[in-house]
Amino acid sequence: MTELEKGPQGRRRGRGARERILSASQQLFRDQGINRTGMDQLCAAAQVSKRTAYQHFAGKDELVAEYLRRFDPDVMPGVFDRTDLTPRERLLAAFEVPATGLCPFIAAAVEIHDPQHPAPRYARDYKKAIAARFAETAREAGAANPEQLGEQLALLLDGASARTRVLNADTFPTAAAIAVVLIDNAIPTAARGSARLSIRSAPVRVAGERQPGQAS
């Protein structure tokens, strides 16, 4: 027999309480921030009792940590694990991400100042992992200094995320154009291969590429 629990309105619900709590936290933490979101509000949004919530999470700190841990566990697999793109194209594809606002890891690090809280640690680990994946892909692309390029692109990606949030305008196309310059300066011409990736909003001209109609 399926185990059931009762929500705050007395309606009987199945075992999905934990997932509903995490789903509610994902929306509320993104829309209004971690510190402004209380457990009462989370429970109401997830339609569970506080007793049920605390059966799944010891407290809000544990919920925040789990929210971050599950946000992107494989570190942008939709970019770095693609087999249909060359390494150079994967580096640029990272800047094709939807402009949905501030990165949740940056937001958590800004809001939570307690060094003992698990959220800042998850944020640090994730940001280091992003730079490492950039560096690994840059090495595949033939970059002379892949670690340096990886750190540059990670910094550029975070900057685009923060600036998009502050200006309420998509700044990723500009970041993508800057990324092209960084990548092409770091990768020898012979190692670049063909550029097949089209950057969102408008094609980015690769250094040395002729414009349509331009004489050879």
Side-chain angles (χ1 to χ4, degrees):
M1 180 180 295
T2 303
E3 182 181 336
L4 298 174
E5 55 90 9
K6 291 186 179 181
Q9 297 176 345
R11 291 186 289 178
R12 296 171 67 81
R13 302 196 173 276
R15 289 185 175 181
R18 180 181 177 86
E19 294 305 316
R20 293 201 307 277
I21 295 167
L22 285 167
S23 178
S25 71
Q26 185 175 20
Q27 179 179 347
L28 291 172
F29 291 161
R30 182 190 65 233
D31 292 347
Q32 64 186 32
I34 293 171
N35 291 338
R36 293 182 59 194
T37 301
M39 288 300 291
D40 287 339
Q41 187 179 16
L42 278 165
C43 290
Q47 294 186 305
V48 300
S49 66
K50 289 186 72 172
R51 177 175 177 274
T52 296
Y54 285 116
Q55 286 175 343
H56 291 283
F57 302 98
K60 184 180 173 182
D61 287 355
E62 184 178 313
L63 174 58
V64 171
E66 180 67 7
Y67 153 74
L68 290 176
R69 188 183 70 82
R70 295 179 52 165
F71 183 78
D72 188 16
D74 297 320
V75 188
M76 295 177 67
V79 171
F80 294 112
D81 293 344
R82 290 183 63 173
T83 59
D84 60 319
L85 301 177
T86 66
R88 180 185 181 281
E89 291 168 348
R90 293 201 298 274
L91 292 174
L92 289 173
F95 297 89
E96 285 270 318
V97 295
T100 55
L102 188 63
C103 165
F105 295 94
I106 296 177
V110 169
E111 286 200 69
I112 300 173
H113 304 288
D114 180 2
Q116 302 305 316
H117 194 288
R121 176 172 55 84
Y122 276 121
R124 285 193 301 271
D125 290 347
Y126 183 82
K127 292 306 178 182
K128 289 179 180 178
I130 286 286
R133 297 219 69 179
F134 267 126
E136 177 186 356
T137 306
R139 186 175 294 106
E140 293 178 38
N145 191 335
E147 285 74 19
Q148 181 183 65
L149 180 59
E151 188 63 31
Q152 289 172 338
L153 294 177
L155 179 62
L156 181 61
L157 189 66
D158 283 342
S161 173
R163 193 165 177 80
T164 291
R165 173 64 174 269
V166 171
L167 298 180
N168 194 28
D170 187 1
T171 64
F172 282 92
T174 300
I178 297 171
V180 168
V181 176
L182 291 172
I183 292 167
D184 285 348
N185 284 341
I187 300 175
T189 304
R192 292 177 193 167
S194 59
R196 293 182 283 108
L197 185 64
S198 173
I199 296 298
R200 182 162 41 90
S201 81
V204 176
R205 182 171 178 264
V206 177
E209 181 182 19
R210 291 193 301 274
Q211 295 294 323
Q214 180 179 345
S216 301

